[in-house]
């Protein structure tokens, strides 16, 4: 590979950008073959495995087009992508060594693909490529570590809440406060449980002083925000909830809510309820906050299902 430095170092690195785009599929295929050899990756579906790698290559290409004079890769975009990738890997139980290894294998796959390129890259282009991948590794490590610590702390709080709670309603109220306290941007939150063909509110926090939430019920097959979360069986976000007909004002404290994020409680393949958080000021929650809320809701799903079963058994025994 040529290491000569020429006039191209003072110009945008179009050759590097062109190479990454024209060989993207080849690089990703080489990377997938290597990553498949890592623990927990052999059975992963390809979309989950590939995740944000094609987008990362594109962001490096965009940065290369801006030239060496910028001095840095697309830091903000790369940081966002690597943070999402690290969170996704953490969610699937991959350790930090595995995450770092993925980026090292990406670098190796790029250089493998370069071997067949007749128009070789300059040393400046190689340095730029190395700096971008090094930056991605550093951001992934930072994001993974911070999120792991925060997640473990939050899950411990949920487990402690379950141990200290008696009735189902007490449990739900404490769970909701625990969920809301872990996301600083939250202004309002609610938990609704499935009762027959409806979702019924059981806990609400974040209402203004003097405002109480009346009992709220919505059909699961209806068109409310809560119903949409339950029917889709996946997280749902509204950026401007106050102007959406799916939102019931009684569930958000009577104030205009901007961001509204809902997550279903699923246990043994069945939706047992939903939880949602809202913000009066932000149009979105951070990627880390949304992921943390999802993980906490998954842990809470089992606790809620067990509490509901216990309460039904106690009612049956009483009768």
């Amino acid at each position: 590979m040529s290491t000569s430095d020429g006039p191209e170092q003072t110009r945008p690195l179009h050759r590097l950008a062109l190479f990454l785009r024209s060989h993207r599929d080849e690089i990703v295929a080489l990377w997938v073959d290597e990553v498949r050899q890592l623990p927990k990756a052999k059975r992963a579906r390809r979309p989950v495995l590939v995740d944000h790698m094609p987008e990362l290559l594109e962001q490096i290409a965009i940065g290369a087009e801006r030239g060496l004079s910028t001095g840095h890769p697309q830091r903000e975009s790369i940081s966002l992508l690597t943070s999402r990738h690290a969170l996704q890997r953490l969610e699937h139980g991959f350790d930090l060594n595995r995450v770092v290894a993925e980026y090292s294998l990406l670098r190796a796959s790029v250089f493998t693909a370069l071997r067949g390129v007749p128009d070789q890259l300059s040393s400046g282009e190689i340095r730029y490529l190395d700096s971008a991948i090094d930056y991605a590794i550093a951001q992934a490590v930072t994001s993974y570590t911070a999120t792991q610590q925060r997640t473990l702390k939050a899950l411990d709080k949920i487990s402690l809440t379950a141990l200290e709670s008696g009735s189902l309603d007490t449990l739900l109220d404490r769970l909701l406060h625990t969920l809301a306290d872990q996301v600083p941007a939250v202004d309002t939150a609610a938990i609704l449980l499935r009762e027959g063909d409806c979702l019924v509110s059981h806990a609400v926090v974040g209402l203004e002083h003097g405002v109480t939430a009346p009992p709220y019920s919505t059909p699961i097959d209806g068109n409310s925000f809560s119903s949409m979360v339950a029917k889709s069986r996946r997280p749902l976000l509204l950026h401007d909830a106050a102007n959406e007909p799916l939102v019931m004002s009684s569930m958000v404290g009577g104030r205009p809510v901007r961001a509204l994020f809902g997550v279903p409680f699923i246990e043994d393949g069945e939706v047992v309820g939903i939880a949602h958080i809202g913000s009066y000021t932000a149009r979105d929650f951070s990627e880390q906050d949304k992921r943390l809320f999802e993980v906490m809701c998954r842990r809470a799903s089992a606790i809620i299902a067990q509490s509901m079963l216990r309460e039904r058994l106690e009612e049956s025994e009483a009768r």
Side-chain angles (χ1 to χ4, degrees):
M1 184 178 301
S2 171
T3 59
S4 62
D5 294 332
E8 69 272 13
Q9 281 195 256
T10 61
R11 300 196 303 267
L13 308 181
H14 292 301
R15 287 192 307 177
L16 174 57
L18 179 62
F19 163 76
L20 291 175
R21 286 172 176 147
S22 61
H23 291 75
R24 184 192 64 183
D25 292 345
E26 177 188 356
I27 294 169
V28 172
L30 289 168
W31 179 79
V32 168
D33 289 342
E34 293 295 329
V35 171
R36 286 285 187 198
Q37 307 308 312
L38 296 175
K40 293 193 177 183
K42 289 182 173 61
R43 297 181 180 179
R45 294 182 296 108
R46 194 175 189 280
V48 172
L49 193 63
V50 171
D51 194 38
H52 296 93
M53 287 304 167
E55 296 175 71
L56 176 60
L57 291 172
E58 174 59 23
Q59 289 303 320
I60 296 175
I62 292 173
E65 287 180 323
R66 297 185 176 183
L68 286 177
S69 60
T70 60
H72 300 287
Q74 291 288 90
R75 288 182 177 259
E76 184 175 344
S77 298
I78 288 178
S79 178
L80 179 61
L81 289 173
T82 52
S83 293
R84 288 175 176 172
H85 183 78
L87 292 173
Q88 190 253 30
R89 291 319 195 224
L90 177 60
E91 184 179 341
H92 284 82
F94 299 143
D95 60 30
L96 182 57
N97 290 334
R98 152 69 192 271
V99 176
V100 173
E102 287 184 333
Y103 289 103
S104 298
L105 291 173
L106 179 66
R107 190 198 314 269
S109 298
V110 171
F111 284 114
T112 298
L114 270 172
R115 294 173 187 169
V117 178
D119 191 14
Q120 296 175 341
L121 303 179
S122 69
S123 61
E125 289 168 312
I126 299 302
R127 284 198 302 270
Y128 185 88
L129 180 62
D130 272 334
S131 70
I133 295 178
D134 287 344
Y135 182 76
I137 292 174
Q139 292 300 303
V141 169
T142 299
S143 179
Y144 185 100
T145 303
T147 304
Q148 183 182 48
Q149 293 174 349
R150 187 181 176 199
T151 301
L152 291 174
K153 181 180 178 181
L155 294 181
D156 283 344
K157 286 188 175 182
I158 285 184
S159 298
L160 183 61
T161 296
L163 291 173
E164 295 177 342
S165 302
S167 67
L168 176 61
D169 284 339
T170 300
L171 169 65
L172 294 175
D173 185 67
R174 291 182 177 178
L175 275 178
L176 191 58
H177 278 84
T178 301
L179 292 170
D181 288 346
Q182 301 307 305
V183 184
V186 168
D187 292 313
T188 182
I191 287 180
L192 293 84
L193 296 187
R194 181 169 186 169
E195 297 183 8
D197 294 328
C198 292
L199 291 168
V200 180
S201 64
H202 280 258
V204 180
V205 299
L207 297 175
E208 292 183 339
H209 178 69
V211 177
T212 59
Y216 171 72
S217 176
T218 181
I220 283 188
D221 61 354
N223 293 320
S224 69
F225 175 76
S226 301
S227 301
M228 297 299 290
V229 174
K231 287 189 293 185
S232 66
R233 301 171 63 89
R234 60 182 177 81
L236 181 63
L237 171 71
L238 295 179
H239 291 287
D240 193 10
N243 294 319
E244 288 282 351
L246 302 181
V247 179
M248 304 300 291
S249 60
S250 60
M251 290 304 298
V252 293
R255 284 188 60 186
V257 169
R258 300 193 73 183
L260 188 62
F261 183 62
V263 176
F265 293 130
I266 299 177
E267 183 64 17
D268 292 333
E270 296 293 327
V271 175
V272 297
I274 74 107
H276 65 62
I277 52 177
S279 172
Y280 296 140
T281 55
R283 293 190 71 253
D284 198 353
F285 296 101
S286 72
E287 201 69 29
Q288 285 193 4
D289 284 347
K290 287 185 289 188
R291 290 281 187 175
L292 178 64
F293 190 66
E294 289 180 50
V295 171
M296 293 174 71
C297 285
R298 277 200 296 274
R299 172 66 66 86
S301 295
I303 296 172
I304 290 172
Q306 291 170 5
S307 183
M308 291 173 67
L309 177 61
R310 183 173 62 250
E311 193 164 273
R312 284 197 294 268
L313 288 174
E314 290 173 353
E315 290 175 354
S316 178
E317 289 175 357
R319 286 196 299 269

